Amino acid sequence: MKLAQASKFSAARLREEFPILARTVHGKPLVYLDSAATSQKPRAVLEAMQDYYQRTNANIHRGVYQISEDATTLYEQARKRIAASLGASPRELVFTGNATAAVNLVAYSWGRSRLKQGDVVVLTEMEHHANLVPWHILRDERGIEIRYIPVTPEGRLDLSNLDALLSGAKLLGLTHVSNVLGTVNPVAEIAARAHAAGALVLVDGAQSAPHLHFSVADLGCDFFVLTGHKMFGPTGIGGLIARRELLDSMPPFMGGGDMIREVKLSGSRWNSVPHKFEAGTPPIAEAIGLGAAVDFMESAGRDNLEETERALVNEAHERLSQEPGVRVLGPPSTERVCLVSFVMEGIHPHDVAAVLDRDAVCVRAGHHCAQPLHEALGVDASARASFHAYNQPSDIDALIAGLHRARALFGV
Ligand code: 7TS
C-alpha cells in the first residue's frame, strides 16, 4: 500500500486509495456520508480478495495440496492480524458473518446454555436492533427478564440507577459507540460495575472498531463483537472475541463440517476454539479482505485516521448545529465519533435524504435499526451523516448546501 511508503500521512492520498470515491452519480461527484452503514473499500482490500480468487482459491483446513494449504495460511494469518489489531489472541477470535451473527452466537450458545426463566439480561435503550432482538427471542423462549439502561435527552447513558439495574443480572450487553448518536460509552467503567455485580459483559463494537484505537482487553468485557464491512473490509465477515475459557465452556451454535474433531453415527466431538464455532466453509476471501483492511488502517496510522475523522465530525457537528431549524441528536462533539444525526423542522428525514441524493450526497434516513432509541428521544426518524477518514471538508459543504436546497424546496 502506497501510504506505507509515505513518510507523512496525507488525507488526500488516503482518499485516492478508494476507487469508488472517484465516481459520479447523477453527473455529480459522489459525496459518501453513509460509512456507519458500510464503509468504502480501499484498493488494498479489493486486490487482496481478487488475488486470493485468482491465485489461491481452495477450501481450507482440509486440503493436502499446496493451494489449499496456502489458503488456510492466508485465512489464519488474517485471523492473527485482526485479533492483534484489537489486542486479542487469535484463538479468542471466532469469525462470523457480521456483528449480528456474533451477538446471535452468544445468545444461542451462551444464552441458551446458561439462562433460565427469570434470569436477568441488562441492555441499553441505545442498542442497535442486532443487540436487542436476539435477546427478545430468548425472552420469548425462556422467560428471561430484560432491563434497560435509559438514555438521557442529551444522548448519554443514564447510569444513575445502574447498580439497581445490575442487581442479579447474568449479562450486560451494550454498544461501545451509538450508531445514531455517535456517543462513546464509558464501557470500561460500566463493565467493572457489571462484573462487581456478577454479570458478564458483551460489548457491541460494530461502530467503535472502525474508528477508535483500543485494546479489547482494556474494555474489560467478556464478549466483543465486530463487523468487517464498516472497517474498510468486505461484507460477509465479522467476529466474536471472547475469553478462551468462556469459548471453551460454551456449546457449539451451529453444527457441520470443520467444527468437529470426530463424527460417528453415535455422536460427535467438537473441534477446539475458535473452529468449534465456525461450521461449514467459512468466508475465506472475506477474512483475507478484512486482514488487508486492518493492515491498511495500521499502515495509514490509527491515530492519523482518528484525527482526520475527528476534525470532520467536529466541523459537521458545529455547522449542523448552527443551521436554523436543525436539531442535532446526541452529545457534544467531544463525546462522539464518526457521525452526526439530525432532524429538520418541517421536512421528513427521508425527504432530506432524497433531496441530498440529487446532489449525489449519500446519507441514511430512518431509524437506523435503533427504533427504541428514536422513541426515547421523541423522534420517529432522523437523517444521519457519517464519516471515515476518506471524507473531506468539501463533503460537509455539499451536505450543508443540500440542506439549504431542501429548505428552499419545502419552503421552510
Ligand atoms: N451494532 C451496531 C452498533 C451497528 O451500528 C450495526 C450496523 C450492527 C450492530 C449490525 O451490524 P451488521 O454488520 O451485523 O449488520 N449498523 C448499521 C447502521 O447504522 N446503518 O446500517 C447498518
Side-chain angles (χ1 to χ4, degrees), residues 34-38 96-103 126-131 174-180 204-208 225-230 235-238 339 364 367-370 384 386:
D34 199 18
S35 294
T38 198
T96 62
N98 49 33
T100 305
V103 177
M126 206 186 266
E127 298 312 300
H128 185 279
H129 296 167
N131 198 27
L174 82 164
T175 193
H176 194 176
V177 167
S178 161
N179 69 316
V180 176
D204 176 352
Q207 297 289 354
S208 62
V225 312
L226 63 130
T227 198
H229 67 95
K230 296 187 204 287
T235 52
I237 183 77
L339 60 90
R364 183 157 177 199
H367 53 57
H368 320 306
C369 298
R384 180 185 70 187
S386 54

Side-chain angles (χ1 to χ4, degrees), residues 262-291:
E262 185 185 55
V263 179
K264 298 194 176 213
L265 289 180
S266 54
S268 314
R269 288 194 305 123
W270 319 136
N271 204 339
S272 56
V273 295
H275 311 294
K276 180 171 82 175
F277 295 107
E278 294 177 4
T281 300
I284 305 167
E286 289 76 7
I288 292 167
L290 183 54

Side-chain angles (χ1 to χ4, degrees), residues 198-244:
L200 295 187
V201 176
L202 179 152
V203 171
D204 176 352
Q207 297 289 354
S208 62
H211 303 283
L212 295 171
H213 192 193
F214 59 89
S215 157
V216 170
D218 291 341
L219 301 182
C221 60
D222 304 281
F223 300 109
F224 180 87
V225 312
L226 63 130
T227 198
H229 67 95
K230 296 187 204 287
M231 42 199 292
F232 300 149
T235 52
I237 183 77
L240 169 68
I241 293 175
R243 283 185 291 108
R244 174 82 195 279

